[in-house]
Structures are given as C-alpha cells and as structure tokens.
C-alpha cells in the first residue's frame, strides 16, 4: 500500500470508512459526513499537556468502573442510525476526539468505537476552531453524544454541552479557572479547571 498525501484526494469527493481503511497517510485525517479533514500538524505542547491532565483526572475516576476512556488517535465511527449495524461503506463519519469515554462496551471493537461515546472532549487548536465549533458539534449532536466538552486553551475556558430530551445540545455556562466541572453521565467526577490549565 503506497503512502498518499492529503492533497492526492479530491476535496469535493464523498468518502466512506471503507475508503478510509485503504489510505496510508503521513497526516492524520477525519471524515465528517463523507468530507475529508486534515488534522495536521501535530497538536502543540500546551494542547498535549491539557489533554494529559484531563486524561489523568478522568482515568483515575474511571478506575474500577465499567466505562472506558480513549485518547487520540482512536477512531470513532458515527452513524445516526442507532442500534443498526452499518457496513464500512455505509459509514461517512470517522473522528478522532482528543478524549472519549464509552460506557457501552458493546460499541468497542478492535478498530475503535462504532456509535456515539457517552462523553467527548475536544481541545481547540489554531486552525481547527470552525471544525470543532460547527461541523463536529453538529455530528456529535445528531449521533447522540450525551456530553460534549469544548476546551479553549487561549481563554482557559471549558464549555460543556449536554443533550436534552429532544436530542439537542444545551450549553451550560462557560467554566473558568474558579470552577469545578461535574458530569451528568459520570457521577462523582470533579474536574478542577484551574488545574487543567496550570502552566
């Protein structure tokens, strides 16, 4: 299998997970509703530090519990048709969240997760703000990701979205460095915002 470059693909093409599995890129990519998105360059050191602190806090909380946490790169295949198994060529969204928590282990296989994680955390990086704020917000909502945290390192703010009974995200107030975040799906989890953003 030869290595392709992101520029070798048609940016206007529609691709599936079956296509994604055939590619060997130097860059990391995601598929959102069949469209390709380049994730390069690698996240900055501050992004990685924040991710590490969140992972440590959540990982410690999950010790001995049935939910499992994964960090990027980890493929999450999303399809709005809940409860129906889809073939690889019927899946048009494959994302690699910075952090995700899955409590239904039946969604896990050797290739990652198929179906909506219970919690997804994305850390904004320069250049990916539109993708996280608009495109991913929409697919996470449509696919039933119960809780979505959006981390803004420039302002030291975390925004938490929770699905309501109609399947629409309700944005809670922004959490700043004086706050402790709790989770609707992980009772007892407490995340100190100031510790997450410590230099």
């Amino acid at each position: 299998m030869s290595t392709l470059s992101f520029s070798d693909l048609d940016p206007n093409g529609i691709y599936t997970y079956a296509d994604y599995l055939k590619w060997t890129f130097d860059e990391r990519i995601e598929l959102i509703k069949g469209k390709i998105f380049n994730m390069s360059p690698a996240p900055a050191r501050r992004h990685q530090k924040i991710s590490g602190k969140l992972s440590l806090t959540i990982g410690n909380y999950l010790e001995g519990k049935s939910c499992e946490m994964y960090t990027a790169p980890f493929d999450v295949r999303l399809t709005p048709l809940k409860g129906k198994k889809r073939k690889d060529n019927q899946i048009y969204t494959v994302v690699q969240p910075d952090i995700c928590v899955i409590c239904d282990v039946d969604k896990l296989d050797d290739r990652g997760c198929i179906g909506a994680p219970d919690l997804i955390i994305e850390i904004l990086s320069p250049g990916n703000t539109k993708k996280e704020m608009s495109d991913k917000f929409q697919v996470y909502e449509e696919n039933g990701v119960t809780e979505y945290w959006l981390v803004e390192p420039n302002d030291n703010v975390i925004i938490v979205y929770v699905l309501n009974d109609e399947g629409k995200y309700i944005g809670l107030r922004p959490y700043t460095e004086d706050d402790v975040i709790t989770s609707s799906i992980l009772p007892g989890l407490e995340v100190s915002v100031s510790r997450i953003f410590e230099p």
Side-chain angles (χ1 to χ4, degrees):
M1 198 181 308
S2 61
T3 301
L4 295 174
S5 167
F6 184 78
S7 60
D8 293 332
L9 296 178
D10 178 0
N12 298 313
I14 299 294
Y15 299 97
T16 69
Y17 183 57
D19 298 313
Y20 177 94
L21 289 173
K22 296 176 192 169
W23 299 331
T24 304
F25 289 107
D26 291 329
E27 309 103 318
R28 283 175 49 214
I29 66 156
E30 293 180 308
L31 277 181
I32 298 178
K33 295 186 174 182
K35 294 290 187 184
I36 50 172
F37 291 87
N38 190 341
M39 296 179 69
S40 295
R45 186 175 67 86
R46 178 160 161 76
H47 179 290
Q48 294 291 69
K49 194 169 185 181
I50 291 167
S51 179
K53 288 180 180 181
L54 281 164
S55 298
L56 186 62
T57 302
I58 296 168
N60 286 338
Y61 164 83
L62 290 176
E63 193 69 37
K65 297 180 173 66
S66 59
C67 299
E68 298 187 18
M69 180 191 71
Y70 295 90
T71 59
F74 176 78
D75 284 348
V76 174
R77 291 159 280 156
L78 295 174
T79 170
L81 300 171
K82 295 182 183 109
K84 293 190 178 178
K85 293 289 182 190
R86 309 301 285 170
K87 295 179 180 172
D88 292 346
N89 63 359
Q90 297 173 310
I91 296 170
Y92 292 91
T93 298
V94 185
V95 291
Q96 295 188 356
D98 289 306
I99 299 168
C100 61
V101 175
I102 298 103
C103 296
D104 179 357
V105 294
D106 289 339
K107 292 181 178 179
L108 298 170
D109 61 22
D110 289 342
R111 296 188 291 181
C113 175
I114 180 155
D118 297 88
L119 168 65
I120 283 181
I121 301 175
E122 295 282 11
I123 303 164
L124 293 177
S125 296
N128 73 354
T129 304
K130 176 189 177 293
K131 181 172 70 166
E132 315 300 356
M133 296 289 288
S134 177
D135 301 329
K136 283 191 173 181
F137 180 97
Q138 187 179 42
V139 295
Y140 292 165
E141 183 180 67
E142 286 173 358
N143 286 275
V145 175
T146 307
E147 212 170 295
Y148 175 34
W149 297 13
L150 199 55
V151 180
E152 174 43 270
N154 290 335
D155 298 321
N156 292 356
V157 168
I158 300 175
I159 302 169
V160 175
Y161 298 97
V162 179
L163 277 185
N164 66 12
D165 292 339
E166 287 78 46
K168 297 293 181 189
Y169 277 137
I170 302 298
L172 309 181
R173 67 179 178 77
Y175 289 92
T176 62
E177 290 180 275
D178 294 331
D179 296 318
V180 173
I181 301 178
T182 58
S183 168
S184 63
I185 57 161
L186 302 174
L189 173 68
E190 294 188 347
V191 177
S192 165
V193 177
S194 61
R195 289 194 62 198
I196 296 307
F197 291 118
E198 276 175 355

